């Protein structure tokens, strides 16, 4: 069972995802700024729709393109404000591609200290939190996920 709550606290939104499992409750909290991204020298704003040239953020390959922009900024020592301004559709597949690549390439601390999400609708924020939670679970035990997929899809997974 997953529950998502969004609490508005002044100038930011705290998104909290709680997942109940057999071992207890796992919580995830992400801050989403509702203000324009800061224009500090060590900060860069990446607008997803500008990168894609489209308001639809649905294709995995597009997630890879967004990841590449974020990764270049991280490697340059920049804080990234990832803007979803004008995004009309944001798919879980797109988000999974972005965040799986990020969490595979960078530490959790780096991501959480160097990435802010802005211009995000509450429903999309909930999807982002779920995807990040799933990515972290997957990276803890990828073989368990592979076995579950084979059980559902059969040996023709490849």
């Amino acid at each position: 069972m997953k529950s998502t709550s969004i609490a508005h606290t002044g100038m930011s939104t705290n998104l909290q995802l709680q997942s109940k499992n057999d071992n207890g409750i796992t919580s995830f909290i992400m801050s989403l700024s509702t203000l324009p991204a800061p224009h500090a020298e060590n900060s860069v704003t990446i607008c997803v729709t500008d990168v894609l040239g489209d308001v639809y953020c649905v294709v995995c390959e597009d997630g890879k393109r967004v990841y590449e922009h974020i990764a270049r900024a991280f490697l340059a020592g920049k804080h990234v404000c990832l803007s979803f301004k004008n995004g009309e559709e944001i798919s879980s597949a797109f988000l999974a591609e972005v965040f799986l690549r990020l969490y595979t390439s960078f530490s959790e601390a780096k991501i959480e200290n160097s990435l802010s999400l802005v211009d995000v609708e509450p429903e999309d924020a909930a999807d982002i939190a779920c995807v990040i939670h799933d990515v972290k679970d997957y990276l803890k035990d990828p073989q368990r996920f592979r076995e579950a997929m084979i059980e559902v899809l059969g040996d023709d997974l490849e």
Side-chain angles (χ1 to χ4, degrees):
M1 178 180 132
K2 291 184 180 179
S3 65
T4 304
S5 63
I6 299 174
H8 294 281
T9 56
M11 295 185 258
S12 67
T13 299
N14 288 324
L15 174 72
Q16 185 172 3
L17 171 73
Q18 292 184 334
S19 298
K20 287 190 176 185
N21 56 33
D22 295 336
N23 299 330
I25 297 176
T26 303
S27 294
F28 172 77
I29 298 174
M30 173 186 285
S31 292
L32 301 171
S33 174
T34 57
L35 295 176
H39 295 288
E41 187 174 308
N42 67 341
S43 180
V44 61
T45 298
I46 298 172
C47 183
V48 172
T49 56
D50 289 347
V51 169
L52 304 180
D54 198 343
V55 296
Y56 299 105
C57 310
V58 295
V59 180
C60 290
E61 187 62 30
D62 288 344
K64 179 182 175 189
R65 290 172 47 206
V66 170
Y67 157 78
E68 289 169 349
H69 279 75
I70 297 168
R72 279 194 296 271
F74 278 4
L75 292 172
K78 303 281 186 181
H79 178 275
V80 174
C81 294
L82 187 63
S83 172
F84 288 88
K85 185 176 182 178
N86 299 323
E88 290 186 18
E89 284 291 323
I90 303 172
S91 76
S92 295
F94 167 85
L95 293 170
E97 189 70 25
V98 173
F99 288 103
L100 180 61
R101 288 177 179 272
L102 281 173
Y103 280 92
T104 301
S105 302
F106 299 95
S107 72
E108 185 173 336
K110 172 69 175 173
I111 296 164
E112 293 177 4
N113 291 323
S114 301
L115 181 65
S116 297
L117 305 178
V118 296
D119 307 316
V120 180
E121 295 295 325
E123 305 83 36
D124 295 327
D127 288 345
I128 291 168
C130 287
V131 166
I132 290 172
H133 181 267
D134 291 345
V135 162
K136 289 178 179 181
D137 275 355
Y138 169 78
L139 291 173
K140 287 178 189 171
D141 190 1
Q143 186 60 33
R144 179 177 66 103
F145 280 81
R146 181 165 177 68
E147 289 168 3
M149 288 177 62
I150 289 172
E151 185 177 313
V152 171
L153 301 174
D155 290 330
D156 296 332
L157 182 62
E158 304 299 324

